[in-house]
Amino acid sequence: MTQRRLTVDAGIVAALGLATYLTSRPLFIANPKLLIKYGEAAWHAGLARWWVATVLGMAALLLRRRFPLVALAATGGMALAHVTSERPGVTPLDAAAPIALYTVANAPLRRVFSYAALAASVSCALLPQLLDLPPIYFGPWRDASLLLPVAMAVAWLVGDRARTRRLYLEQVTARARDLERDRDRQAELAAAAERARIARDLHDAVAHGLSIVVIQAQAAAGAMEKRPATARAALAAIVATGRDSLAEMRRLLGLTRPQSPELAPLPGLGDLPGLAERVRAAGLPVSLRVDGDDLGVSPGVGLCAYRIVQEALTNALKYAGPHATVDVTLHCGANKVELAVHDTGRGAGGEPDELRGNGLRGMRERVAMLGGTVAAGDAPDGGFQVCAELPLTDKPAEPV
């Protein structure tokens, strides 16, 4: 990139030099009238100053991108030397000063430097008029005194416009990159949340199914010799529970595959009687009471309530002990769903929730996502209870 820019600047210098040679070549030739007026020594001295200013200005123009202020000072001094000289005067080389001012206006400098460079350049370009110097001749113009100030002002305006556009494009590009990063981050967070949701559902389904399978297998083993009919019923319950658990696992995992045919709806409030019946078949007496109309309950809230009851019944199967009973109460009100699961077992006994596995933690995460509340612990009259309040819709609560 640097080599290409240097090549472009060298081309600009060569083009200006060629244009000056083609348009102003006769002005470099001394005629007898000028020699008589100024003298040969004065003529050659003025011509030498012109060439020194030209060489310095053109050399500085090659470095305009790296040192814009230095290039502007050198090319402006060159233009001022040309304007104030008798011969050859203003030439195409003096276009280097507007080019350098354009570079200053377009450079990533503080705005105060750009404005100061504009004021100084225009003031120096107007200096010949302020000093009442002879008219400047340039091409077809007999008086080109205003040509250089106008060129400087136009060059600054074009450069400032280019700088503004470049900064705008940089801001747009940076904003696009930020939005892309935010999109990727949101996608990662959504994927992580979906993985956590599927993990919770799998835990609930597998833990519940295996708990019933273990209890039924123990019952079948104990009744195998003396009560074969009871053993066959327990084995049949194991088969049914295993098939239901596998079907639910396929349904959950099928949601992660876009082309999977497993698109059956997830369980909800209408599946609670079947859940209670399976637990009764495992040997734990369960009573279920549902009050109110559940038509206004969203599928997400219904799934959450089902999983809470499922986890509470699974824990009762594991920890409540023999001769325990469970009461499940569900009330669908006008604004919320109230849920309570109370067993008459031995309770937690002050044990932390971690000893009961990840079920209670997953339960709290589900309820928090919906903006509801849940409490789990020993009941005042003995046993263990889980109480939850859920909104009718699955929209999360507004942050406070």
Side-chain angles (χ1 to χ4, degrees), residues 373-394:
T373 59
V374 63
D378 292 334
D381 55 349
F384 193 84
Q385 66 179 4
V386 176
C387 300
E389 291 186 359
L390 304 173
L392 289 181
T393 60
D394 53 356

Side-chain angles (χ1 to χ4, degrees), residues 130-350:
L130 298 177
L131 298 179
D132 294 330
L133 296 178
I136 302 173
Y137 295 92
F138 180 73
W141 294 282
R142 291 186 57 82
D143 187 0
S145 302
L146 295 178
L147 180 62
L148 191 56
V150 172
M152 299 295 282
V154 172
W156 184 88
L157 289 175
V158 175
D160 187 71
R161 173 63 179 172
R163 177 181 181 273
T164 302
R165 179 173 177 78
R166 187 186 71 252
L167 294 178
Y168 171 75
L169 292 178
E170 290 176 355
Q171 292 178 355
V172 171
T173 304
R175 179 175 176 82
R177 286 196 298 265
D178 293 340
L179 291 176
E180 186 175 359
R181 284 195 298 268
D182 291 342
R183 181 198 62 190
D184 296 340
R185 189 179 301 111
Q186 291 296 330
E188 293 175 358
L189 293 176
E194 184 66 13
R195 287 194 296 268
R197 185 193 66 80
I198 294 175
R200 287 193 300 267
D201 288 339
L202 283 176
H203 169 269
D204 294 341
V206 173
H208 178 74
L210 288 180
S211 298
I212 294 180
V213 166
V214 169
I215 293 175
Q216 293 286 9
Q218 291 174 346
M224 186 68 69
E225 296 180 357
K226 298 181 179 180
R227 292 174 294 169
T230 303
R232 285 193 296 270
L235 293 175
I238 290 175
V239 173
T241 302
R243 287 176 177 173
D244 292 342
S245 298
L246 287 175
E248 190 167 1
M249 288 179 61
R250 292 193 186 100
R251 180 169 58 245
L252 291 173
L253 295 177
L255 295 177
T256 64
R257 304 187 184 99
Q259 298 179 354
S260 175
E262 300 290 341
L263 298 178
L266 292 172
L269 297 182
D271 298 291
L272 288 178
L275 175 63
E277 186 61 33
R278 288 195 298 271
V279 176
R280 291 191 197 101
L284 179 65
V286 177
S287 64
L288 174 64
R289 185 174 73 253
V290 179
D291 299 330
D293 189 1
D294 61 349
L295 295 179
V297 180
S298 66
V301 174
L303 174 61
C304 182
Y306 179 89
R307 294 303 187 196
I308 292 175
V309 175
Q310 185 183 49
E311 179 62 27
L313 293 178
T314 301
N315 288 337
L317 283 171
K318 291 181 180 180
Y319 307 109
H323 311 296
T325 61
V326 181
D327 294 327
V328 179
T329 303
L330 180 69
H331 176 70
C332 300
N335 299 319
K336 61 183 177 180
V337 176
E338 297 177 347
L339 176 63
V341 181
H342 177 217
D343 66 65
T344 59
R346 54 175 173 258

